[in-house]
Amino acid sequence: MTAPTIGLYGLGTMGAALALNMAEKGVSVQVANRTASAVLRFMDRAGSLAENIQGHQTLGGLIAGLPAPRLLVAMIPSTAPMDGFLDDVIGQLSPGDTVIDAGNADFHDTRRRAARLAEHGLHFVGLGVSGGEEGARHGPSMMMGGSPESWAGLEPILTRIAAKHGEDPCVVRCGPDGAGHFVKTVHNGIEYADMQMIAEVYDLLRFGGGRDVRDVSAIFKDWNAGRLESYLMETTGEVLSYADAPTNLPFIDLIEDKAGQKGTGRWTVIEAVRLGQSASMIEAAVAARAWSAEKALRGVVEETFGADRADLDLDVGLLEQAMLAARVLEYAQGFRILAAASQEYDWGLDPVRIAQIWRAGCIIRARLLDDIAEALAEEPPEGQLFLAPRFSGVLMQGIPALREVVTRAAEAGYATPVLSAALTFWDVLRQGRGTASLIQAQRDFFGRHGFERTDQDGDFHGPWWK
Ligand SMILES: NC(=O)c1ccc[n+]([C@@H]2O[C@H](COP(=O)([O-])OP(=O)(O)OC[C@H]3O[C@@H](n4cnc5c(N)ncnc54)[C@H](OP(=O)(O)O)[C@@H]3O)[C@@H](O)[C@H]2O)c1
């Protein structure tokens, strides 16, 4: 059987890693890059894998070298450069060829590009690739959006290079056009919330509890050996264990507390709101990153009002239970957005399969995803993860723990945006009758918007309208 062949344009961090992964798995890869000198450097770096790789000096050469129907991956910024790339390639491709955007794209752009290429008889795939450089090199988790025909061409390659959970390759065709990039976006939104939640707990342990950073590192490593096991928990234990070589200071203390973001967290929040949802934990994490960037302002406020915080000795087991409950809720918010988008765009997303392919290779891989996949397969009441019987114990124990952590943190002056958002989300959900009667009365009073009554069918106005 001849090896499957694919073209890859863009030999930056991710493109180079992906090309080496493909070559290692016996895929025949042809590559090119905007700056041609990068191709020679890459071929040198490929070592013995170079026998499965053919370098081209130009994009035209790459396209001409690919067998029909072509599979051409672009691993370049998915913004204007992607549109420029499509301008260049459309005229050089033939009907039936597939272009794959493997970067982090706004799924609206992917839908627009898919429609554009379809006019030329070309397929356009939005491929979400998670796992960073390491994942791309040795096995990412991948979320594909595109036509069944393009999936047929790509599947043999993607299943070879994907991360494996046991024997299961972590790749799925999510649906058409933007479905894969959308699922990747929500994956990143969950990632934002989980990272921020961990950072909040780090703050409580280290500065509230007055613990040495090495002890905090050990606590995260310990948690990673239990129910909270996840890549981000592992990463946290690891990064906190480093000291600065010359000074022996904890390395974490030398890193400026200003977090960057490239947009996927923000997109998740925007899409959630657009779909009539609220990913409040993800939004809290996006807000925390935005506020972190206002370093100078925070300095002024601290100088003006003081930054006093009381000591806060929270039990490690209590924090573990609180985080576990919050983690269930953050994944639940993510899956709620996926369900809403699937309905809106008629994608037919399979939440069980999505949970399964997030179990290895990607940044949000976590032991909890085994339970999440099984809970979704059992079709929980109302389709909601937090109503799944297998999570009732975690929530029954974890919500009181979360409440204690959030209230004691607030009293002592510690900010817990994501943990607080989790608790608020839960406290709203568990009230069969909430506060919206008053909202409806207000809306009707000033805008004659009308409301439903509890005792009669129909649309009504209040006695304030005579
Ligand atoms: N880094 C990650 O962990 C990660 C994870 C998942 C997804 N992604 C996504 O993967 C994509 C690539 O990221 P990266 O980290 O590999 O970036 P990178 O290391 O900065 O590489 C960028 C690549 O894009 C090329 N490029 C930039 N502008 C171009 C243009 N106008 N026309 C043609 N080629 C252009 C560059 O070519 P030159 O060599 O000529 O500059 C280079 O090959 C992005 O969409 C990113 O969001 C990244």
Side-chain angles (χ1 to χ4, degrees):
M1 203 177 108
T2 55
T5 301
I6 196 163
L8 189 144
Y9 183 73
L11 291 170
T13 307
M14 291 293 283
L18 211 55
L20 292 174
N21 183 1
M22 289 175 179
E24 193 169 68
K25 306 289 160 46
V27 176
S28 168
V29 199
Q30 305 206 17
V31 298
N33 191 66
R34 175 179 64 175
T35 310
S37 55
V39 177
L40 285 178
R41 281 200 306 275
F42 171 74
M43 295 302 286
D44 273 353
R45 196 183 134 197
S48 62
L49 293 176
E51 67 184 38
N52 282 346
I53 305 173
Q54 189 181 343
H56 295 272
Q57 289 301 294
T58 62
L59 177 57
L62 168 62
I63 292 173
L66 291 171
R70 299 176 181 91
L71 296 172
L72 177 60
V73 179
M75 203 42 152
I76 64 176
S78 298
T79 46
M82 183 58 62
D83 287 314
F85 172 77
L86 295 179
D87 291 342
D88 287 346
V89 301
I90 283 174
Q92 302 182 59
L93 295 171
S94 313
D97 290 350
T98 296
V99 178
I100 302 115
D101 173 2
N104 278 333
D106 180 333
F107 83 104
H108 292 296
D109 287 336
T110 308
R111 286 166 64 81
R112 171 176 59 75
R113 289 166 182 152
R116 180 183 177 198
L117 264 68
E119 287 172 14
H120 300 269
L122 302 168
H123 301 284
F124 187 74
V125 165
L127 184 68
V129 178
S130 178
E133 182 182 9
E134 186 66 12
R137 175 66 186 85
H138 297 291
S141 172
M142 288 174 288
M143 294 137 261
M144 185 271 192
S147 64
E149 296 91 320
S150 50
W151 174 242
L154 278 171
E155 187 183 8
I157 296 175
L158 297 184
T159 49
R160 280 190 201 201
I161 66 166
K164 306 286 183 301
H165 183 264
E167 295 293 303
D168 186 16
C170 291
V171 57
V172 61
R173 175 178 177 260
C174 298
D177 53 63
H181 275 149
F182 186 85
V183 175
K184 173 65 179 8
T185 298
V186 173
H187 162 286
N188 285 24
I190 296 170
E191 175 184 315
Y192 271 56
D194 206 60
M195 290 170 74
Q196 174 62 28
M197 174 180 79
I198 289 172
E200 290 167 17
V201 171
Y202 157 73
D203 189 32
L204 295 173
L205 284 170
R206 183 160 178 214
F207 301 105
R211 288 180 180 82
D212 184 273
V213 70
R214 281 165 299 206
D215 295 338
V216 180
S217 163
I219 291 170
F220 278 103
K221 286 180 177 172
D222 205 35
W223 280 334
N224 192 48
R227 294 177 304 169
L228 283 170
E229 181 191 329
S230 71
Y231 174 69
L232 286 170
M233 204 58 67
E234 178 191 339
T235 302
T236 306
E238 176 75 9
V239 297
L240 291 177
S241 69
Y242 282 81
D244 178 47
T247 61
N248 206 29
L249 288 169
F251 196 84
I252 188 75
D253 293 349
L254 303 178
I255 300 177
E256 194 70 88
D257 61 329
K258 293 196 290 191
Q261 51 180 319
K262 288 192 173 163
T264 44
R266 191 168 53 234
W267 295 340
T268 309
V269 174
I270 291 170
E271 292 310 323
V273 173
R274 250 186 30 75
L275 292 162
Q277 291 276 327
S278 173
S280 57
M281 296 176 70
I282 300 170
E283 205 238 307
V286 172
R289 286 204 195 182
W291 292 328
S292 82
E294 295 189 79
K295 174 89 180 157
L297 174 65
R298 287 188 286 121
V300 172
V301 178
E302 175 175 336
E303 224 166 78
T304 312
F305 292 98
D308 295 345
R309 304 198 290 185
D311 291 345
L312 180 60
D313 193 13
L314 288 167
D315 179 74
V316 170
L318 185 85
L319 284 165
E320 183 183 25
Q321 285 180 352
M323 271 202 288
L324 201 56
R327 193 175 258 177
V328 171
L329 295 179
E330 88 196 355
Y331 279 92
Q333 288 197 344
F335 278 97
R336 281 161 57 81
I337 307 170
L338 292 179
S342 184
Q343 200 169 8
E344 169 91 4
Y345 297 103
D346 201 15
W347 281 335
L349 295 181
D350 177 352
V352 178
R353 190 65 195 133
I354 291 168
Q356 286 171 344
I357 65 121
W358 285 349
R359 291 180 301 177
C362 69
I363 305 293
I364 63 168
R365 61 186 184 259
R367 182 192 280 198
L368 188 67
L369 277 162
D370 283 326
D371 278 333
I372 290 177
E374 283 174 32
L376 291 167
E378 289 157 8
E379 299 188 355
E382 309 292 325
Q384 304 292 334
L385 262 183
F386 42 75
L387 289 177
R390 65 176 59 229
F391 289 130
S392 62
V394 167
L395 293 172
M396 296 283 256
Q397 279 194 319
I399 297 292
L402 182 63
R403 189 176 306 287
E404 185 173 343
V405 169
V406 169
T407 51
R408 288 183 61 194
E411 273 170 7
Y414 294 82
T416 55
V418 165
L419 292 171
S420 301
L423 185 62
T424 299
F425 178 52
W426 185 253
D427 279 341
V428 169
L429 281 179
R430 72 190 181 88
Q431 293 300 316
R433 181 166 169 84
T435 56
S437 308
L438 181 55
I439 305 297
Q440 287 298 79
Q442 291 165 333
R443 292 179 68 239
D444 187 59
F445 187 90
F446 63 68
R448 224 190 241 272
H449 291 294
F451 49 75
E452 292 174 43
R453 288 180 62 120
T454 56
D455 55 350
Q456 297 168 43
D457 288 338
D459 192 32
F460 296 91
H461 295 287
W464 39 82
W465 290 109
K466 295 277 186 286

